[in-house]
Amino acid sequence: MSIRLLSVAAGAVLAACAHTVSLDGTAQPTAAPAPHASGPQSSGTQSSDSQSSGSDSSGSQASGSGTTPTTQTTRTDPCAGTIAALSPRARLAQLVMVGVDPRSADEALGIVRNEQAGGIFIGGDDVGLLSGGALEPVRAAATVPLSVAIDDEGGRVQRLEALDGNLPSARAMARAMSPDQVREVARQRGEAMRARGVTTDLAPVVDTSGGADRTVIGDRSFSPDPKVAADYATAFAQGLHDAGVTPVIKHFPGHGNTTGDSHLGAVRSPGLDELRGHDLVPYQNIARYGEAVVMLGHIDVPGLTGGQPASLSPAAYSLLRGEYAFDGPAMTDDLGAMRAVTDRFDLPDAVVGALAAGADIALWSSGGRVTEVLDRLERAVSSGELPAARADQALRRVLAAKDVC
């Protein structure tokens, strides 16, 4: 779905064949690679956030010899060459998705050229950056293929209507169309995205809501019935896949029945046991959505997050990785423009907290502050506030999702 990295410094590749490169730039001999993030096409078994390494070995008892010959096979780390070619700061930059001015390429080009941000987010109603090939120099400036995201759900949350026509809301689609028809609509929309340089759509919403259209989720939900919501969200995700666009499933662990709006302040969901029977049902058999990203909302879940937003809660990421067996990239909801977070945390601290908790991609639509955030991340790795192993794990998931390694 994404363009593979075409070249890596030759010396780095040779050196990487026998070493794993850590986030701080040191090289460690290795006999086996760290686990490769395979995305949500999992076997259904629980996955773990821990990294392991070892060597493949086999042995057989030699007849009559009394000895056991052992043969060791050395495997190379498929990501090591790419990681070695990046500075420690550029590795951290792969973990951020930054909002950019939608009117032109100037801001986006500066962010990618100067800091090698891993992703940009194009919001708002202006379509200058999505027109006339404006994204081409931005993508060309990226050392690692750039993720270009929009949130084109349909209804009141869409970005391409001025260019490619109106997309109905999720609720309207579910009322008027079959899942197969929704898949075709999403495919056509996804093809329009790809033609304009977009690689990622922050959709579909899998939240279950029967609320009024203009409430925080409301008509953004396909249905209050979790099975219906999952069926239609699956169709939408498959349509995006058909067009080569990565879907982002949101908002884990469920925003459809919360009190309040996380754009405006803190919100609370029903307790975890209640969520398991309803709001979390669309996350069961998560492989149905194909290779995807999961977005965590800024939702306080009684019995899970201990008063923290799920996007900054280690327990929420553990639930996603363990009980729901998701091993693809996890993304935060907006850390820079939603008061459920901004009322409590400054942006650089929120980014560090989210990545340390288990996020792989930290999103802020408000833009700017990239240098400040990366400075803060470097200090957090140096101090251990953001463990190097956690950052390395996130980087590998991001690179795997980009088909880099």
Coordinates of all heavy atoms in Angstrom, one line a residue, residues 100-105 122-136 148 150-152 158-165 189 192-193 195-198:
V100 N -0.5 20.2 9.2 CA 0.2 21.1 8.4 C -0.9 22.1 7.7 O -2.0 21.7 7.6 CB 1.0 20.5 7.3 CG1 2.2 19.7 7.9 CG2 0.2 19.6 6.4
D101 N -0.4 23.2 7.3 CA -1.2 24.2 6.6 C -1.8 23.5 5.3 O -1.0 23.1 4.4 CB -0.4 25.4 6.2 CG -1.2 26.5 5.6 OD1 -2.4 26.3 5.2 OD2 -0.7 27.7 5.5
P102 N -3.1 23.4 5.2 CA -3.7 22.8 4.0 C -3.7 23.6 2.7 O -4.0 23.2 1.6 CB -5.1 22.5 4.4 CG -5.5 23.6 5.3 CD -4.2 23.9 6.1
R103 N -3.3 24.9 2.8 CA -3.4 25.8 1.7 C -2.3 25.7 0.7 O -2.5 25.9 -0.5 CB -3.4 27.3 2.2 CG -4.7 27.6 3.1 CD -4.6 28.9 3.7 NE -3.5 29.0 4.7 CZ -3.2 30.0 5.4 NH1 -3.9 31.2 5.2 NH2 -2.2 30.0 6.3
S104 N -1.1 25.3 1.2 CA 0.0 25.1 0.3 C 1.0 24.2 0.9 O 0.9 23.7 2.0 CB 0.7 26.5 0.0 OG 1.4 26.9 1.2
A105 N 2.1 23.9 0.1 CA 3.1 22.9 0.5 C 4.2 23.5 1.4 O 5.0 22.8 1.9 CB 3.8 22.3 -0.7
I122 N -3.4 16.5 7.0 CA -4.0 17.6 6.3 C -5.5 17.8 6.7 O -6.3 16.9 6.4 CB -3.9 17.5 4.8 CG1 -2.5 17.2 4.4 CG2 -4.5 18.7 4.1 CD1 -2.3 16.8 2.9
G123 N -5.8 18.8 7.5 CA -7.1 19.0 8.0 C -7.7 20.3 7.4 O -7.1 20.9 6.4
G124 N -8.8 20.7 7.9 CA -9.4 21.9 7.4 C -10.1 21.8 6.0 O -10.2 20.7 5.5
D125 N -10.7 22.9 5.5 CA -11.5 22.8 4.3 C -10.7 23.3 3.1 O -11.2 23.1 2.0 CB -12.7 23.7 4.5 CG -13.7 23.2 5.5 OD1 -13.8 21.9 5.7 OD2 -14.3 24.0 6.3
D126 N -9.6 23.9 3.2 CA -8.8 24.3 2.1 C -8.2 23.1 1.4 O -7.7 22.2 2.1 CB -7.7 25.3 2.5 CG -7.2 26.1 1.3 OD1 -6.5 25.5 0.4 OD2 -7.5 27.3 1.3
V127 N -8.1 23.1 0.1 CA -7.6 21.9 -0.6 C -6.4 22.2 -1.5 O -6.0 21.4 -2.3 CB -8.7 21.3 -1.5 CG1 -9.9 20.8 -0.7 CG2 -9.2 22.4 -2.5
G128 N -5.7 23.3 -1.2 CA -4.5 23.7 -1.9 C -3.4 22.6 -1.9 O -2.8 22.3 -3.0
L129 N -3.2 22.0 -0.8 CA -2.1 21.0 -0.7 C -2.5 19.7 -1.3 O -1.7 18.8 -1.6 CB -1.8 20.8 0.8 CG -0.6 19.9 1.2 CD1 0.7 20.3 0.4 CD2 -0.3 20.0 2.7
L130 N -3.8 19.5 -1.5 CA -4.3 18.3 -2.2 C -4.6 18.5 -3.7 O -5.2 17.6 -4.3 CB -5.6 17.8 -1.5 CG -5.5 17.4 0.0 CD1 -6.8 17.3 0.7 CD2 -4.7 16.1 0.1
S131 N -4.2 19.6 -4.2 CA -4.4 19.9 -5.6 C -3.2 20.1 -6.4 O -2.1 20.5 -5.9 CB -5.3 21.2 -5.7 OG -6.5 21.1 -4.9
G132 N -3.2 19.9 -7.7 CA -2.2 20.2 -8.6 C -0.8 19.6 -8.3 O 0.2 20.2 -8.6
G133 N -0.8 18.5 -7.7 CA 0.5 17.8 -7.4 C 1.3 18.5 -6.3 O 2.5 18.3 -6.2
A134 N 0.6 19.3 -5.5 CA 1.4 20.1 -4.5 C 2.1 19.2 -3.5 O 3.1 19.6 -2.9 CB 0.4 21.0 -3.7
L135 N 1.6 18.0 -3.3 CA 2.3 17.1 -2.3 C 3.6 16.4 -2.8 O 4.3 15.9 -2.1 CB 1.3 16.0 -1.9 CG 0.4 16.3 -0.7 CD1 -0.7 15.2 -0.6 CD2 1.1 16.4 0.6
E136 N 3.8 16.4 -4.1 CA 4.9 15.7 -4.7 C 6.2 16.1 -4.2 O 7.0 15.3 -3.8 CB 4.8 15.8 -6.2 CG 3.7 15.1 -6.9 CD 3.6 15.3 -8.4 OE1 4.6 15.8 -8.9 OE2 2.6 14.9 -9.0
V148 N 0.8 10.4 4.6 CA 0.0 11.6 4.4 C -1.4 11.2 4.7 O -2.1 10.4 4.1 CB 0.1 12.1 2.9 CG1 -0.8 13.3 2.7 CG2 1.5 12.4 2.5
I150 N -5.5 12.2 6.0 CA -6.7 13.1 6.1 C -7.7 12.3 6.9 O -7.6 11.1 7.1 CB -7.3 13.5 4.8 CG1 -7.7 12.3 4.0 CG2 -6.2 14.3 4.0 CD1 -8.5 12.7 2.7
D151 N -8.7 13.1 7.5 CA -9.8 12.4 8.1 C -11.1 12.6 7.2 O -11.8 13.6 7.4 CB -10.0 12.8 9.6 CG -10.1 14.3 9.7 OD1 -9.8 15.1 8.8 OD2 -10.6 14.8 10.8
D152 N -11.3 11.6 6.4 CA -12.4 11.7 5.4 C -13.3 10.6 5.7 O -13.4 9.5 5.1 CB -11.8 11.6 4.0 CG -12.8 12.1 2.9 OD1 -13.1 13.3 3.0 OD2 -13.2 11.3 2.1
Q158 N -15.1 15.4 6.5 CA -14.6 15.0 5.3 C -13.7 16.2 4.7 O -13.9 17.3 5.1 CB -15.7 14.6 4.3 CG -16.7 15.6 4.0 CD -17.8 15.0 3.0 OE1 -17.4 14.5 1.9 NE2 -19.0 15.1 3.4
R159 N -12.8 15.8 3.8 CA -11.8 16.8 3.3 C -11.8 17.0 1.8 O -11.3 17.9 1.3 CB -10.4 16.4 3.7 CG -10.2 16.2 5.2 CD -10.5 17.4 6.0 NE -10.7 17.2 7.4 CZ -11.3 17.9 8.3 NH1 -11.9 19.0 7.9 NH2 -11.4 17.6 9.6
L160 N -12.4 16.0 1.1 CA -12.3 16.0 -0.4 C -13.6 16.5 -1.1 O -13.7 16.4 -2.3 CB -11.9 14.7 -0.9 CG -10.6 14.1 -0.4 CD1 -10.3 12.7 -1.0 CD2 -9.5 15.1 -0.8
E161 N -14.6 16.9 -0.3 CA -15.9 17.2 -1.0 C -15.8 18.2 -2.1 O -16.5 18.2 -3.1 CB -17.0 17.5 0.0 CG -16.8 18.8 0.8 CD -16.1 18.6 2.1 OE1 -15.2 17.7 2.1 OE2 -16.3 19.4 3.0
A162 N -15.0 19.2 -1.9 CA -14.8 20.3 -2.9 C -14.2 19.8 -4.1 O -14.3 20.4 -5.2 CB -14.1 21.5 -2.3
L163 N -13.4 18.7 -4.0 CA -12.7 18.2 -5.2 C -13.3 17.0 -5.8 O -13.4 16.9 -7.0 CB -11.2 17.8 -4.8 CG -10.3 19.0 -4.3 CD1 -9.1 18.4 -3.7 CD2 -10.0 19.9 -5.4
D164 N -13.9 16.1 -5.0 CA -14.3 14.8 -5.4 C -15.8 14.5 -5.0 O -16.2 13.3 -5.1 CB -13.4 13.7 -4.9 CG -12.0 13.9 -5.4 OD1 -11.8 14.0 -6.7 OD2 -11.0 14.1 -4.6
G165 N -16.5 15.5 -4.6 CA -17.9 15.3 -4.3 C -18.2 14.9 -2.8 O -17.3 14.5 -2.1
R189 N -13.6 6.5 -3.2 CA -13.0 7.6 -2.5 C -11.5 7.4 -2.2 O -10.7 8.3 -2.3 CB -13.8 7.8 -1.2 CG -13.5 9.1 -0.4 CD -14.0 10.3 -1.2 NE -14.2 11.4 -0.4 CZ -15.1 12.4 -0.6 NH1 -15.8 12.3 -1.7 NH2 -15.2 13.4 0.2
A192 N -9.5 8.3 -5.2 CA -9.3 9.8 -5.3 C -8.2 10.2 -4.3 O -7.4 11.1 -4.7 CB -10.7 10.5 -5.0
M193 N -8.2 9.7 -3.1 CA -7.1 10.0 -2.2 C -5.8 9.7 -2.7 O -4.8 10.5 -2.7 CB -7.4 9.3 -0.8 CG -8.6 9.6 -0.1 SD -8.7 8.6 1.4 CE -10.5 8.8 1.8
A195 N -4.8 9.3 -5.7 CA -4.4 10.1 -6.9 C -3.9 11.5 -6.4 O -3.1 12.2 -7.1 CB -5.6 10.3 -7.8
R196 N -4.3 11.9 -5.2 CA -3.9 13.2 -4.7 C -2.7 13.1 -3.7 O -2.3 14.1 -3.1 CB -5.1 13.9 -4.0 CG -6.2 14.1 -5.0 CD -7.4 15.0 -4.4 NE -8.4 15.1 -5.4 CZ -8.4 16.0 -6.5 NH1 -7.3 16.7 -6.6 NH2 -9.4 16.0 -7.3
G197 N -2.2 11.9 -3.5 CA -1.0 11.7 -2.7 C -1.3 11.3 -1.2 O -0.4 11.2 -0.4
V198 N -2.6 11.0 -0.9 CA -2.9 10.6 0.4 C -2.7 9.1 0.6 O -3.0 8.3 -0.3 CB -4.4 11.0 0.7 CG1 -4.8 10.4 2.1 CG2 -4.6 12.5 0.7

